[in-house]
Amino acid sequence: MNRVCAKDVYIMTEEIQDNGRTVHSIKVPTSSDLASFNFYLVEEEGQLSLIDAGINSGKCWEAFTHLLNCKGFSFEDLERIIITHNHEDHVGLVDRIVAKRNIPVYVPDKSIHRLKRDKDFFRMRIEFFARLYKEMGCGEAGEKQIRKLEDAFENHDKKRIQADLTPIDHETIAGLELIPTPGHSPDHLVFLDREREWLFGGDLLIDHISSNALVEPDREGVRIKTVLELEKSLKKLRSYNVQVVFPGHGELIENPKDLIEVRLDGIKRKADKVLDHVKNGVETASELAQTMYRGKYESQFSLVMSEIIGHLDYLEGHEKVTKEIRDGVWWYRAI
Ligand SMILES: [Zn+2]
């Protein structure tokens, strides 16, 4: 393995080579907790595949074009874009790149209705959250969040990906094996280079923060138990030999086995904290969120509710709590 690093004001690029394949990492720093937006240019036999596409910002665009230039590549060398999941910080440059060179954009099958902003799906999604927040006892804070979702719906067309999208329906793409790893998002995939033991990990495993598992409905409007899915996906990752993870944010991860255990343990410990509060008589998701996250309940409502609901699912799945509905609200009780 050979590394070459270059740094300037905006970007950090890092290069790893092994047996005819080179990964050029593009990391664009951000002041948020994510630390950086990472995406990867994989070079093999003069062909380039881009894995993920950053966020739609001037900095990301500059970083990407700068890398192409300084490596002597052009847009003509790009063969395809491959996407790990539908979040906007992973698909940001897709339309700009495709406008320069019309290449296939491969996305998880379950991403398409989200990336294309399918109106029926997103209308259903708003109803799903309206019902969910009511059932979780959120009251006014929940209604406020629904108004936000409705406002965002008005601007939906602006967020639609224009490029043609191709669902990834093979077991491999560009010599990489795809592994479904839902949890952080319902459509999440990671891509494994089995020979080199490299993994393009999207947001499944991040070195400096635990990746969140956002509450979402599936296509039919059924709530996905996202923290349980994330746990399962991390356990699945444990069963592969991986030397290097190329993550969606932060630093490269070498030998991820220990970090996987830390993340699995983190889920369990957070769930145990929720359980302690349930045992102390804090019995609805909304009350738990307000007790455990105080100020953030208002300012980061959807994230906080995802955390609580996801970990309540985890406790339910591990038979630590049970719930019953009273006057339209779920009440949790320790078993
Ligand atoms: Zn991300």
Side-chain angles (χ1 to χ4, degrees):
M1 202 181 285
N2 170 29
R3 291 185 169 202
V4 184
C5 296
K7 289 187 185 181
D8 69 14
V9 183
Y10 292 139
I11 64 163
M12 291 171 275
T13 61
E14 197 167 16
E15 193 176 295
I16 295 185
Q17 297 175 342
D18 187 20
N19 199 16
R21 182 173 278 181
T22 305
V23 180
H24 306 274
S25 310
I26 308 163
K27 282 190 207 167
V28 181
T30 160
S31 55
S32 75
D33 289 350
L34 298 171
S36 63
F37 302 114
N38 304 350
F39 43 120
Y40 300 94
L41 201 55
V42 182
E43 178 191 1
E44 193 168 26
E45 294 172 354
Q47 285 199 358
L48 297 177
S49 300
L50 184 68
I51 300 185
D52 279 345
I55 200 161
N56 189 9
S57 71
K59 272 187 188 181
C60 274
W61 181 247
E62 201 176 318
F64 177 62
T65 51
H66 175 85
L67 178 71
L68 286 182
N69 287 339
C70 79
K71 297 289 170 190
F73 299 130
S74 76
F75 280 91
E76 292 305 304
D77 299 313
L78 279 173
E79 290 295 318
R80 59 182 77 79
I81 302 174
I82 304 169
I83 297 296
T84 59
H85 63 295
N86 72 85
H87 290 169
E88 63 177 0
D89 52 340
H90 295 257
V91 298
L93 299 182
V94 164
D95 280 339
R96 282 164 98 159
I97 294 169
V98 169
K100 289 264 186 192
R101 176 167 154 80
N102 194 8
I103 49 173
V105 181
Y106 294 98
V107 302
D109 188 23
K110 290 180 183 169
S111 300
I112 292 181
H113 59 287
R114 292 175 185 269
L115 292 171
K116 286 294 183 187
R117 299 281 149 184
D118 179 302
K119 281 214 156 61
D120 290 341
F121 173 75
F122 279 94
R123 237 178 249 125
M124 177 275 282
R125 186 173 175 271
I126 294 175
E127 284 164 23
F128 163 86
F129 279 112
R131 198 170 55 241
L132 176 69
Y133 293 147
K134 251 186 216 151
E135 287 179 2
M136 293 301 170
C138 299
E140 173 55 28
E143 285 161 24
K144 203 167 132 196
Q145 177 65 18
I146 295 306
R147 285 196 292 277
K148 268 194 206 169
L149 289 178
E150 281 164 351
D151 289 348
F153 187 75
E154 298 294 309
N155 293 314
H156 243 197
D157 288 344
K158 285 184 202 142
K159 289 195 163 179
R160 176 186 299 126
I161 296 260
Q162 301 299 323
D164 288 338
L165 304 175
T166 307
I168 309 175
D169 54 6
H170 297 92
E171 286 178 0
T172 61
I173 185 158
L176 301 166
E177 220 173 287
L178 60 103
I179 306 168
T181 46
H184 173 68
S185 66
D187 55 340
H188 199 283
L189 296 178
V190 296
F191 302 98
L192 177 69
D193 179 335
R194 210 179 262 266
E195 181 192 332
R196 295 167 188 83
E197 302 185 341
W198 292 347
L199 186 91
F200 297 91
D203 287 352
L204 176 59
L205 194 65
I206 297 170
D207 191 43
H208 66 288
I209 45 169
S210 52
S211 71
N212 48 19
L214 302 168
V215 166
E216 281 292 335
D218 68 11
R219 187 104 205 235
E220 279 69 46
V222 176
R223 187 161 71 76
I224 302 164
K225 304 210 163 175
T226 45
V227 170
L228 280 167
E229 287 212 325
L230 181 62
E231 183 196 32
K232 220 160 127 191
S233 293
L234 286 167
K235 284 183 174 170
K236 193 195 267 185
L237 178 57
R238 203 160 58 171
S239 67
Y240 293 94
N241 287 330
V242 176
Q243 275 192 37
V244 182
V245 178
F246 298 95
H249 307 280
E251 298 300 315
L252 295 194
I253 303 163
E254 291 186 40
N255 303 314
K257 287 237 147 75
D258 289 348
L259 184 61
I260 296 170
E261 296 312 315
V262 170
R263 292 289 172 257
L264 285 168
D265 190 51
I267 293 173
K268 190 180 170 301
R269 278 190 293 124
K270 203 176 268 181
D272 284 342
K273 270 191 202 157
V274 175
L275 181 60
D276 284 344
H277 287 288
V278 174
K279 283 179 179 165
N280 287 331
V282 188
E283 292 176 322
T284 66
S286 164
E287 282 178 359
L288 284 160
Q290 291 173 69
T291 308
M292 293 180 68
Y293 290 97
R294 296 207 169 88
K296 285 188 181 170
Y297 179 69
E298 292 281 336
S299 63
Q300 297 187 40
F301 178 81
S302 64
L303 286 177
V304 163
M305 287 309 297
S306 265
E307 282 288 294
I308 297 293
I309 294 168
H311 288 86
L312 284 167
D313 288 342
Y314 176 95
L315 291 169
E316 225 187 327
H318 289 268
E319 298 180 350
K320 299 275 175 63
V321 299
T322 176
K323 67 178 189 297
E324 62 170 343
I325 202 152
R326 270 187 263 145
D327 298 329
V329 174
W330 287 111
W331 292 77
Y332 288 83
R333 186 165 46 81
I335 294 173

